[in-house]
Amino acid sequence: MASEPESAVAVADGSAVAAIEAPRRQSGLVPTLALVAAVALLPFAIPVNIATEIVIFGLFAMSTNLLIGTAGLYSFGQAAFFGVGGYAAGYLAARGLAPLPVMLLAAALAAGLLALVIGAFSIRRTGIYFMMLTFAFNQLVYYISYSWHSVTGGEDGLAGIKRMPLDLPVIGQLSFDNHLAFYWLSACIFLAGMVALRRVVDSPLGMVLTAARLNPRRTASLGYPVHTAQLIAFVMAGAIAGIAGALFGMLYRIMPIDSVHWVASAYVVFMVLIGGTRSMLGPVIGAAIFIWLQGLFSLVWARWPLLLGLFVIVVMLFLPGGVLDLVEKARHWVTRLRSRS
């Protein structure tokens, strides 16, 4: 549950040419066990559909943070991959054309391929130009989805998405029609996604991404393939977002057109910023807070996005490191108080 690799900082500071080869940091056992316990208890503490939505958007936010927190690439087009993954899996599921593993694989491949195309055009631009390109591609995908009614359902959304069962050799067939069973499926994929992303961040690829975020020119001058690393991260983030989209379609048995809109891309960026970009856990906490506030504000006022926007402004002004930053500050204050007593 970690912050940025020390070796990458060393590259950016110019103090270690071979910093990419530095030893990888190990994740703490206690935070990992605490997270697994929280995921296991979540559907018993809140409505199971909300819990499922949290782990799905937690997975989506973690994949986005691979770009924002690790690579420093603020993409405003991630909803395109989320939606395309949902459409690819939903199209197969609505017609009963493929088992569950093939559905998820199709979602990852469709979203990953789209990310490869968009990334190839966008990744060589930085800052506002990169953001605008991803935003423009997102809207292009949105209007194609809106017009391609026979595949996406257009403005009505792709309905009739089935939760396909999973056939296992010894255990037999597992059905996910039950909401709690579908939560366990989503939770297992969420945890697997977290482990995979953790390994990417701790790998030499993650070190190069972090170093490029801190000092792209120096990292490139040392011979590291910055653009290739960023493109790989872009494709990985897109593929995982596609899997999250497939789960979202199965959760509500429909893939709405709103899930491809740029506003959905902005929401996932807000989730990452609310939780914090410096760890894997931050985006997950941000997703949970965002979904909880979304439900709460929508009960209070029909124009709830205004309240949500005010909350994001407050977080950005007073907690630029996200909610986890507040936890770190509280821990620091407690440590200082104990040392004085």
Side-chain angles (χ1 to χ4, degrees):
M1 313 278 148
S3 50
E4 65 194 25
E6 295 84 351
S7 56
V9 177
V11 169
D13 291 344
S15 60
V17 174
I20 300 296
E21 299 171 359
R24 299 170 189 176
R25 189 173 14 76
Q26 300 297 319
S27 298
L29 179 62
V30 173
T32 303
L33 292 177
L35 175 67
V36 172
V39 170
L41 294 174
L42 191 61
F44 303 105
I46 60 177
V48 65
N49 274 3
I50 301 298
T52 309
E53 204 170 322
I54 287 174
V55 294
I56 290 173
F57 279 96
L59 179 65
F60 187 20
M62 281 192 300
S63 71
T64 303
N65 194 43
L66 178 64
L67 299 177
I68 295 177
T70 305
L73 299 171
Y74 281 78
S75 170
F76 275 80
Q78 295 308 103
F81 314 124
F82 182 85
V84 165
Y87 284 136
Y91 185 83
L92 295 174
R95 290 156 179 77
L97 296 177
L100 181 64
V102 176
M103 279 176 55
L104 296 176
L105 182 62
L109 286 176
L113 185 60
L114 179 65
L116 179 62
V117 174
I118 294 177
F121 286 99
S122 308
I123 216 72
R124 292 185 181 277
R125 297 291 180 268
T126 57
I128 188 68
Y129 302 103
F130 174 80
M131 292 166 58
M132 288 298 100
L133 272 173
T134 54
F135 168 81
F137 276 115
N138 192 151
Q139 285 308 88
L140 180 63
V141 172
Y142 171 78
Y143 284 112
I144 291 174
S145 303
Y146 189 88
S147 306
W148 203 358
H149 195 279
S150 60
V151 174
T152 65
E155 60 181 334
D156 299 326
L158 180 61
I161 299 176
K162 302 172 185 173
R163 296 179 188 172
M164 302 300 286
L166 179 62
D167 292 314
L168 295 176
V170 178
I171 300 175
Q173 189 176 81
L174 297 179
S175 171
F176 301 106
D177 286 333
N178 180 281
H179 292 316
L180 189 58
F182 186 71
Y183 172 80
W184 296 127
L185 171 69
S186 304
C188 288
I189 294 175
F190 162 79
L191 291 173
M194 174 173 272
V195 171
L197 287 167
R198 177 72 272 163
R199 293 183 70 86
V200 170
V201 171
D202 284 343
S203 71
L205 172 65
M207 305 292 179
V208 172
L209 291 172
T210 306
R213 171 172 59 83
L214 297 171
N215 195 332
R217 289 187 177 180
R218 178 164 179 79
T219 306
S221 69
L222 290 173
Y224 295 108
V226 171
H227 291 311
T228 303
Q230 290 174 332
L231 182 59
I232 292 172
F234 198 82
V235 173
M236 285 181 176
I240 294 175
I243 293 174
L247 292 173
F248 182 77
M250 284 189 279
L251 172 62
Y252 292 114
R253 302 178 190 274
I254 185 171
M255 200 63 195
I257 188 68
D258 289 349
S259 62
V260 198
H261 199 268
W262 75 267
V263 172
S265 293
Y267 282 169
V268 76
V269 172
F270 289 162
M271 291 176 190
V272 172
L273 296 179
I274 288 171
T277 62
R278 291 186 298 174
S279 75
M280 295 291 290
L281 195 56
V284 181
I285 293 175
I289 292 174
F290 188 93
I291 291 170
W292 175 68
L293 287 178
Q294 195 178 37
L296 179 66
F297 290 158
S298 64
L299 292 176
V300 175
W301 195 20
R303 297 179 180 177
W304 58 269
L306 180 60
L307 298 176
L308 204 54
L310 290 174
F311 175 78
V312 173
I313 290 172
V314 170
V315 170
M316 292 300 100
L317 286 177
F318 299 102
L319 291 172
V323 173
L324 277 188
D325 203 24
L326 183 63
V327 176
E328 287 297 323
K329 287 179 180 176
R331 185 188 300 171
H332 182 65
W333 291 334
V334 170
T335 304
R336 287 183 62 184
L337 287 174
R338 284 180 178 175
S339 63
R340 289 178 180 177
S341 61

